Amino acid sequence: MSIYQKSENILSDIQNIIETSQRQAYHAVNTILSQRNWLIGYRIAAEEIDGSDRAEYGANIIKKLSKELTTKYGKGYDRSNLYHCLRFYKEFPQIVDTACRQSHIRLSWSHYRALLQVADSAVRSWYEKEAYEQTWSVRTLQRNINMQYYYRILQSQHKELVEQEMLEKTSDFQNDKSECYL
C-alpha cells in the first residue's frame, strides 16, 4: 500500500486509506485477469500449432474447451471469450514473459478487449499508449476507437481542439471511479 500520511481529519484519512486500497485491489485483480487470459491464449495457440488441419482443429479445440470449462467454472469461458484470449496472445505476444512470469500488462482486460477491435498494430499501440498515459477509462478508450480519434488527431492541423473535444465528450466516463483502475 502507498505511504500513509496522517492529517487532522480522521474521516478524510480513512476514506483515503479505503480508496487507495480499492484502487490497488482493482489493479491487482485486473493484472491477474489479463495474465490469465493471455496464458489461456498462449496455451490454445500452442495446441493449434500441433494440430494437423489448423483452422478446423483450432475451432474444435475451442469448442471442446468452452464446453468443459463452462461446465466446471461457469460462464465466462464461451467460445467468443476463448477466441478473445487467443487474439490477445497473438496481438500482444510480448506482454507476458512466460519464462520468468514478468508482466508488462498496463491496462485492464476490458481495455485490451477494446484494443483488439483495432486491426492496425501501430494504431492499436498508439491507443494502448494513450490509454495508459492519459488513464483513459474503458468507455473513453472505446469511444475514441469508435470515433477514430487517432486518425482525427493525425489529420488535424489543430490537434489541441480535437483533444479538447475528446476530453469534453468523455469527462463523464473519466469521472466514474468504477471505470478506471489505474
Side-chain angles (χ1 to χ4, degrees):
M1 193 159 148
S2 64
I3 298 172
Y4 165 70
Q5 300 240 340
K6 182 180 174 254
S7 73
E8 297 301 315
N9 185 331
I10 187 171
L11 177 60
S12 177
D13 288 353
I14 292 174
Q15 288 172 332
N16 186 38
I17 291 167
I18 291 168
E19 290 172 9
T20 300
S21 299
Q22 285 175 330
R23 277 192 306 276
Q24 290 176 341
Y26 292 145
H27 181 73
V29 167
N30 273 305
T31 298
I32 296 299
L33 179 64
S34 295
Q35 286 176 338
R36 179 202 69 183
N37 292 342
W38 187 92
L39 288 167
I40 288 170
Y42 170 79
R43 183 58 183 93
I44 291 170
E47 190 70 17
E48 274 187 337
I49 291 169
D50 290 339
S52 51
D53 182 5
R54 289 177 49 184
E56 187 176 327
Y57 182 73
N60 287 334
I61 288 171
I62 289 179
K63 183 178 178 181
K64 184 178 178 189
L65 283 171
S66 173
K67 183 178 179 185
E68 292 180 18
L69 293 171
T70 300
T71 299
K72 180 160 180 141
Y73 298 108
K75 71 179 192 171
Y77 297 96
D78 59 23
R79 283 187 274 182
S80 174
N81 279 341
L82 293 178
Y83 276 114
H84 283 304
C85 292
L86 179 58
R87 268 203 72 216
F88 181 43
Y89 163 71
K90 288 180 176 181
E91 299 297 335
F92 297 92
Q94 304 301 321
I95 207 164
V96 176
D97 183 342
T98 56
C100 60
R101 294 284 195 253
Q102 284 189 332
S103 172
H104 304 288
I105 293 171
R106 304 184 314 173
L107 300 169
S108 73
W109 170 240
S110 298
H111 282 90
Y112 285 112
R113 287 268 315 251
L115 287 168
L116 289 174
Q117 299 168 35
V118 181
D120 184 313
S121 62
V123 176
R124 188 175 44 250
S125 290
W126 184 87
Y127 279 118
E128 179 187 19
K129 177 182 171 289
E130 289 296 306
Y132 175 72
E133 289 177 358
Q134 304 298 321
T135 61
W136 288 350
S137 69
V138 175
R139 288 172 52 193
T140 297
L141 173 60
Q142 187 63 63
R143 182 205 176 272
N144 289 345
I145 290 169
N146 291 345
M147 299 303 290
Q148 299 193 352
Y149 180 58
Y150 170 81
Y151 297 105
R152 290 176 59 222
I153 284 279
L154 198 62
Q155 294 172 350
S156 177
Q157 291 181 351
H158 303 286
K159 294 174 184 3
E160 62 282 347
L161 294 176
V162 176
E163 184 176 356
Q164 184 60 38
E165 177 197 18
M166 182 277 294
L167 292 172
E168 289 170 9
K169 300 277 186 186
T170 61
S171 66
D172 288 344
F173 305 153
Q174 290 300 105
N175 294 328
D176 183 353
K177 288 186 181 182
S178 67
E179 279 284 320
C180 298
Y181 83 96
L182 302 169

